[in-house]
Amino acid sequence: MSSSTYRVVDIHTHMYPPAYVQLLETRNSIPLIRKFAGAKEPRLIILPAEAESLDKITSEDPDKTSSHLPGRPVTTHYSSLSQKIHFMDSHQIDISVISLANPWLDFVASEDAGETAKSINQEFSDMCATVPGRLFFFATLPLTAPPETLLAAVGHVRSLKYCRGVILGTSGLGKGLDDPALVPVFHALAANKLTIFLHPHYGLPSEVWGPRATEEYGHVLPLALGFPMETTIAVARMYLAGVFDQVPELRLILAHSGGTLPFLAGRIESCIVHDGHLVREGKAGSGRRTIWQVLREQIYLDAVVYSEVGLKAAIDASGVDRLMFGTDHPFFPPLNSDEQGEWESVTWNAEAVRKALGDATDCGRAVMGGNAIEVLRLHEDS
Ligand code: URA
Ligand code: ZN
């Protein structure tokens, strides 16, 4: 662990606790966990882009040994608390703010969602309590539940000692995050000082990747491009719908350094002021808060962008006091070295901070941990 004055905090780090794994093991369509003949570990199959290869292998012979299995192996990194702590220790991470990974509870039947969320959030809370001060968490909301159950869930998670916010996908209640029906939920989250960690899952429609993608390009296109575009589009829709003005206390941390928002904010602004419809409706006038202002006032960005080029754009857009280091563990393990050792997906992000902000500088330390401690109140133990 690092010294007491300088703390490294990982705010983008997931877990699938055992109860969630069991839930996925019972399912026949994605998201699911399935065993395949000849494979040591069961496979986690969650991405829409993986459904096609799952269908193919299932229609061939499910018991046939194949070298081209869909999804990723479920290693101990997905649900073991001691493994998470080992990962933290081996990468000099002092504190992790853990969250359930995608697709959260998006697929859970309405009548089950409230109880499922409650037990998963309690499981996260209990994990944090076993290592006081080292783990906090973003809770999961039962978005498919009736509105009153959803609002009650916000009340429940705010009472959990180590909860500092909620992880949220982009589908909202089924119509995206610009849905007016979500505004009461945003108000409740803001009133309870629960920060949203906005994270993609659905990407873009698979036709976008072309006919060769499934066989030849692995997960590169949906993960590298689909995920960030999904986040970008979700936040642009929230902005255009006026959500940030309607709920000025709302705070969001955007995964993957805001997708492409830092790069495209200027273009979004230009398209707004040149849009006849928005101008006629008085939505492009001078009193308007620009997307640049929202980026500096209501949005934080993680530093999971793997290069100082993207990181510098994120810093320019939101400010160095609004960036927070993350790892995306347990995703992107090393494929050619020991998983118990160093992960280059982690060292690339730490290296990007060093290259963008210098070695052992105040700004670098703020991004590596100081900002998260302040913003997410990690010095408070309730
Ligand atoms: N990172 C995530 O958080 N989820 C994925 O599905 C893949 C990478
Ligand atoms: Zn992630």
Side-chain angles (χ1 to χ4, degrees):
M1 274 213 267
S2 47
S3 83
S4 58
T5 50
Y6 165 45
R7 291 248 182 272
V8 175
V9 180
D10 179 1
I11 63 110
H12 187 155
T13 179
H14 305 291
M15 290 196 79
Y16 289 110
Y20 189 81
V21 168
Q22 277 163 23
L23 188 62
L24 295 188
E25 281 169 348
T26 63
R27 291 177 52 80
N28 292 318
S29 55
I30 63 161
L32 56 79
I33 290 178
R34 182 173 296 174
K35 290 198 173 90
F36 291 89
K40 203 168 90 224
E41 279 129 350
R43 311 279 296 183
L44 172 71
I45 303 164
I46 50 174
L47 298 179
E50 293 161 350
E52 211 176 298
S53 24
L54 175 66
D55 287 349
K56 194 157 167 263
I57 201 163
T58 312
S59 67
E60 285 165 0
D61 174 0
D63 294 325
K64 193 180 101 193
T65 307
S66 168
S67 57
H68 209 76
L69 295 172
R72 53 204 67 63
V74 186
T75 64
T76 51
H77 288 268
Y78 285 80
S79 20
S80 155
L81 177 59
S82 57
Q83 183 69 81
K84 178 68 80 183
I85 299 294
H86 170 81
F87 170 81
M88 289 166 64
D89 290 344
S90 50
H91 293 90
Q92 294 79 48
I93 294 166
D94 298 287
I95 302 172
S96 288
V97 186
I98 54 178
S99 50
L100 185 65
N102 48 304
W104 314 285
L105 305 180
D106 286 10
F107 56 91
V108 176
S110 178
E111 62 276 18
D112 300 332
E115 279 310 308
T116 308
K118 212 173 193 174
S119 65
I120 299 254
N121 289 329
Q122 191 59 52
E123 217 169 340
F124 270 89
S125 182
D126 294 345
M127 284 192 279
C128 295
T130 58
V131 281
R134 293 212 68 191
L135 294 182
F136 293 83
F137 74 107
F138 293 116
T140 307
L141 291 179
L143 290 167
T144 57
E148 59 281 7
T149 309
L150 177 52
L151 283 174
V154 176
H156 174 237
V157 303
R158 79 165 290 278
S159 72
L160 298 174
K161 185 171 172 183
Y162 298 101
C163 177
R164 290 299 186 270
V166 298
I167 184 161
L168 195 69
T170 62
S171 47
L173 306 176
K175 295 183 186 164
L177 302 183
D178 52 353
D179 182 354
L182 265 179
V183 171
V185 179
F186 290 146
H187 273 299
L189 292 169
N192 288 296
K193 295 202 179 335
L194 292 166
T195 301
I196 293 174
F197 176 30
L198 182 62
H199 194 292
H201 170 69
Y202 297 95
L204 297 179
S206 55
E207 304 86 79
V208 170
W209 313 125
R212 298 177 61 178
T214 308
E215 291 289 327
E216 296 181 57
Y217 308 152
H219 293 153
V220 174
L221 295 171
L223 288 182
L225 308 181
F227 267 30
M229 281 316 300
E230 178 187 349
T231 306
T232 308
I233 293 165
V235 178
R237 283 173 56 178
M238 287 175 79
Y239 174 74
L240 291 169
V243 174
F244 293 102
D245 289 340
Q246 286 167 52
V247 194
E249 301 305 320
L250 189 66
R251 296 292 178 269
L252 281 87
I253 303 172
L254 308 185
H256 317 124
S257 300
T260 61
L261 263 189
F263 191 76
L264 293 181
R267 186 167 177 84
I268 294 171
E269 278 299 312
S270 171
C271 288
I272 289 171
V273 300
H274 293 99
D275 190 283
H277 175 74
L278 294 194
V279 170
R280 272 193 304 281
E281 299 242 309
K283 290 181 176 169
S286 55
R288 178 181 63 93
R289 256 189 336 141
T290 64
I291 189 127
W292 294 115
Q293 282 169 284
V294 171
L295 277 165
R296 288 186 169 265
E297 292 164 6
Q298 287 182 261
I299 287 179
Y300 303 97
L301 305 174
D302 77 18
V304 182
V305 69
Y306 308 99
S307 147
E308 75 277 16
V309 176
L311 194 65
K312 281 181 188 161
I315 292 167
D316 283 349
S318 277
V320 75
D321 53 336
R322 304 183 84 81
L323 266 283
M324 303 179 211
F325 176 72
T327 64
D328 217 355
H329 180 256
F331 296 103
F332 307 114
L335 299 181
N336 295 313
S337 62
D338 183 4
E339 278 195 8
Q340 300 303 335
E342 193 167 75
W343 289 33
E344 66 182 8
S345 52
V346 179
T347 51
W348 281 25
N349 281 322
E351 182 69 12
V353 174
R354 272 194 296 278
K355 284 188 178 163
L357 296 167
D359 231 357
T361 60
D362 286 349
C363 288
R365 288 177 169 185
V367 173
M368 291 303 292
N371 292 340
I373 290 174
E374 283 306 311
V375 171
L376 298 173
R377 297 176 281 108
L378 305 184
H379 37 66
E380 296 173 17
D381 72 350
S382 62

